[in-house]
Amino acid sequence: MRQSKLFTKTKKEVPTDEVSKNAELLIRGGFIYKEMAGVYSYLPLGLRVIKKIENIIREEMNAIDGQEITMTALQERETWEPTNQWSDEQVDVWFKTKLKNETELGLAVTHEAPITKIMKSFIQSYRDLPKFVYQFQTKFRNEIRAKSGIMRTREFVMKDLYSFCRDEKEHNEFYEKSKIAYQNIFKRTGIGHITYLTFASGGMFSKFSHEFQTITSTGEDTIYVDGSKGIAVNKEVYNDEVIESLGLSKENLVENRAVEVGNIFTLGTRFSDALELKYQTETGEFKSVFMGSYGIGPGRLMGTVVEALADDKGIIWPLSIAPFTVHLLVLGDEDSVRIEADKVYEKLLKADVEVLFDDRKEISAGEKFADADLLGMPYRVVVSTRSIKDGGVEVKKRNEPARPHDGLGAGGEKGKVISVEELLKLLKP
Ligand code: ATP
Ligand code: MG
């Protein structure tokens, strides 16, 4: 994409009420637009990141037999009454509204009850189980605090998967598979090395639930990490008996701030009992379906990546979720240089490389470098009079440590000059 055609622009200023690093960088980069506190729109660059994150999640959910659907955001009071979750005392984040005829409706906080109702019309026999259903769908939550940018918002898309099994044993098998799928997701999105499977409070049907917590200083949670075992315990359940029962020892645990990027939860028969989702066993008895729920917020994940990986110049996107692989910069407005840069752009497109081409005129090299650092594409490729003289394009990885300044302006640490053919080999080995 040509940057001259992009309607968004980078900004030097951020809204004064914005305190989080992820919101600051994402707003300055034009990835998102703040509508109001805790409510953000995704602009072209931000949407490309979200879609890539969603696709990674989708692949991993499909790999464990998830089937994708989309449920509605408008929900009926009757759906949530059987589990006592309609009242504002029980669920304190509801946004509610009314039909013209005064019928009360809620805006989706979550979907356990609605999906249970849907599955009632399809699950009758043991032969219909197990089943796994997921969606990417907008949740509304009247959160009290909204100070963490896109990591805690009042309107956000969640990937929520729900599992339906014959019994606890069948459920546990899927639950273990989901852990691995989640670990794959966090590895593939670039935060696997700082994300820990964390024991957190359970419910009626299991002592613990499991959260996936990513270490970051701005996280709202406190966790105790055993680095050698690769697991952690949330402060909310941390005590001497818990530690011992998990086979952990207090010396080995290190306290950290972290953000919950995903969680998995054994629901048991809470919803299937209340909403009467039953199936007939091989011997003809009726049993409640055994359920679980599995959430990830793609927006929170994106914000977490920014928080955890950015440096003082801007964002550093992992290759897998970067809006573009290459940020191609043309320096100088001379025809010869621009013609050469156009050729490089066309060659990269032909090779299916995703390129953001900073073809803007009358923008200084310093500004282009600063924007490239802020926007955070994995490879910065420069075409300039000098790179042409040296026989190609100057390449620098965004996450490479800075080299001595070469006088090209802010962010202009030297890259390596290579030919376009070598560049293509580097990008498409
Ligand atoms: P938290 O404890 O952070 O409030 P939660 O336990 O209420 O989150 P769930 O309802 O289980 O979260 O939601 C599943 C996932 O959705 C979370 O792991 C997180 O990634 C994401 N999520 C939850 N609340 C928000 C929010 N307000 N804004 C953005 N993402 C969210
Ligand atoms: Mg939680």
Side-chain angles (χ1 to χ4, degrees):
M1 167 168 225
R2 287 179 182 270
Q3 210 168 325
S4 59
K5 293 194 177 164
L6 192 65
F7 77 81
T8 59
K9 294 177 185 166
T10 59
K11 289 190 185 334
K12 298 227 158 53
E13 306 295 322
V14 268
T16 49
D17 58 340
E18 206 58 84
V19 292
S20 70
K21 177 161 67 171
N22 73 84
E24 183 196 321
L25 293 174
L26 291 167
I27 290 171
R28 281 186 46 215
F31 291 86
I32 60 171
Y33 174 83
K34 182 176 193 165
E35 298 287 348
M36 61 185 100
V39 183
Y40 299 87
S41 292
Y42 286 82
L43 306 179
L45 295 178
L47 191 63
R48 290 179 74 101
V49 177
I50 280 289
K51 291 290 168 202
K52 289 190 175 184
I53 292 173
E54 284 184 3
N55 270 332
I56 289 172
I57 297 174
R58 179 174 287 115
E59 283 174 13
E60 295 295 336
M61 293 301 102
N62 291 346
I64 53 172
D65 285 337
Q67 298 176 46
E68 187 169 353
I69 62 168
T70 311
M71 285 183 268
T72 64
L74 289 178
Q75 300 181 338
E76 286 184 308
R77 177 191 180 122
E78 290 71 26
T79 304
W80 290 101
E81 272 181 335
T83 47
N84 261 330
Q85 285 169 291
W86 176 258
S87 84
D88 295 327
E89 286 73 52
Q90 294 295 329
V91 176
D92 61 2
V93 291
W94 270 119
F95 280 107
K96 288 179 180 166
T97 187
K98 275 183 187 163
L99 294 179
K100 298 270 189 217
N101 71 7
E102 297 295 304
T103 305
E104 285 182 284
L105 294 178
L107 295 180
V109 168
T110 181
H111 279 86
E112 282 81 358
I115 188 62
T116 305
K117 278 175 69 181
I118 290 182
M119 295 313 270
K120 260 180 86 149
S121 59
F122 298 102
I123 291 173
Q124 282 91 33
S125 137
Y126 69 94
R127 289 188 211 91
D128 301 325
L129 295 168
K131 289 288 183 291
F132 315 103
V133 182
Y134 75 96
Q135 62 176 349
F136 292 92
Q137 196 274 352
T138 306
K139 312 291 186 234
F140 298 88
R141 294 185 182 181
N142 203 345
E143 304 266 5
I144 297 172
R145 287 169 302 165
K147 294 224 178 299
S148 306
I150 58 169
M151 290 157 81
R152 181 175 296 285
T153 54
R154 300 194 164 104
E155 174 179 337
F156 63 96
V157 170
M158 191 197 286
K159 184 288 298 175
D160 39 338
L161 182 143
Y162 303 93
S163 64
F164 300 86
C165 292
R166 288 169 224 197
D167 51 32
E168 189 166 3
K169 181 170 168 288
E170 192 170 70
H171 166 79
N172 288 341
E173 280 167 25
F174 180 78
Y175 195 84
E176 291 308 312
K177 276 202 223 169
S178 79
K179 279 185 192 166
I180 294 170
Y182 268 46
Q183 276 158 345
N184 291 343
I185 290 165
F186 301 122
K187 236 184 262 166
R188 290 179 63 186
T189 52
I191 51 172
H193 59 298
I194 43 170
T195 301
Y196 291 91
L197 177 74
T198 304
F199 290 83
S201 44
M204 266 187 285
F205 293 88
S206 66
K207 186 162 177 204
F208 299 108
S209 67
H210 294 90
E211 296 172 340
F212 293 79
Q213 293 270 2
T214 307
I215 307 289
T216 146
S217 55
T218 46
E220 291 177 11
D221 289 3
T222 301
I223 63 168
Y224 296 88
V225 177
D226 184 328
S228 65
K229 293 205 166 72
I231 56 175
V233 180
N234 193 313
K235 189 173 190 173
E236 69 186 17
V237 298
Y238 181 90
N239 63 47
D240 290 358
E241 79 347 281
V242 170
I243 299 304
E244 207 185 298
S245 77
L246 294 174
L248 300 171
S249 86
K250 262 184 154 174
E251 291 87 83
N252 297 336
L253 294 176
V254 180
E255 187 179 301
N256 274 293
R257 299 292 283 177
V259 56
E260 178 203 308
V261 284
N263 69 21
I264 59 177
F265 203 96
T266 298
L267 298 169
T269 57
R270 175 171 180 206
F271 288 88
S272 51
D273 282 340
L275 292 153
E276 298 180 334
L277 171 62
K278 294 187 189 303
Y279 71 98
Q280 208 167 7
T281 66
E282 269 176 291
T283 54
E285 310 147 64
F286 285 92
K287 261 181 92 171
S288 292
V289 173
F290 201 96
M291 292 171 53
S293 71
Y294 311 77
I296 295 182
R300 183 178 289 185
L301 203 166
M302 174 172 161
T304 302
V305 167
V306 175
E307 291 285 335
L309 307 182
D311 64 12
D312 56 352
K313 295 189 192 128
I315 299 169
I316 301 179
W317 294 115
L319 190 60
S320 58
I321 62 169
F324 294 91
T325 304
V326 167
H327 202 162
L328 176 66
L329 275 49
V330 54
L331 303 188
D333 292 337
E334 301 93 324
D335 282 348
S336 57
V337 182
R338 294 192 66 92
I339 289 168
E340 190 55 34
D342 277 345
K343 280 192 204 155
V344 175
Y345 180 54
E346 293 303 329
K347 279 187 191 167
L348 289 171
L349 289 187
K350 225 180 185 169
D352 271 336
V353 178
E354 295 179 301
V355 193
L356 179 63
F357 179 20
D358 192 347
D359 61 340
R360 295 173 301 167
K361 289 187 175 163
E362 290 163 25
I363 305 276
S364 72
E367 275 176 87
K368 288 195 175 182
F369 282 132
D371 277 359
D373 279 341
L374 173 63
L375 297 179
M377 304 321 152
Y379 293 92
R380 187 190 74 190
V381 175
V382 174
V383 178
S384 64
T385 323
R386 202 179 60 191
S387 82
I388 295 170
K389 202 173 103 223
D390 290 350
V393 294
E394 190 197 281
V395 183
K396 184 188 165 292
K397 279 192 184 172
R398 177 65 180 86
N399 65 359
E400 249 168 22
R403 294 190 201 188
H405 201 278
D406 63 0
L408 286 174
E413 308 89 24
K414 266 199 191 105
K416 231 175 46 191
V417 176
I418 58 175
S419 68
V420 179
E421 287 62 41
E422 284 172 306
L423 174 65
L424 285 172
K425 257 185 241 156
L426 183 75
L427 299 171
K428 298 258 159 179

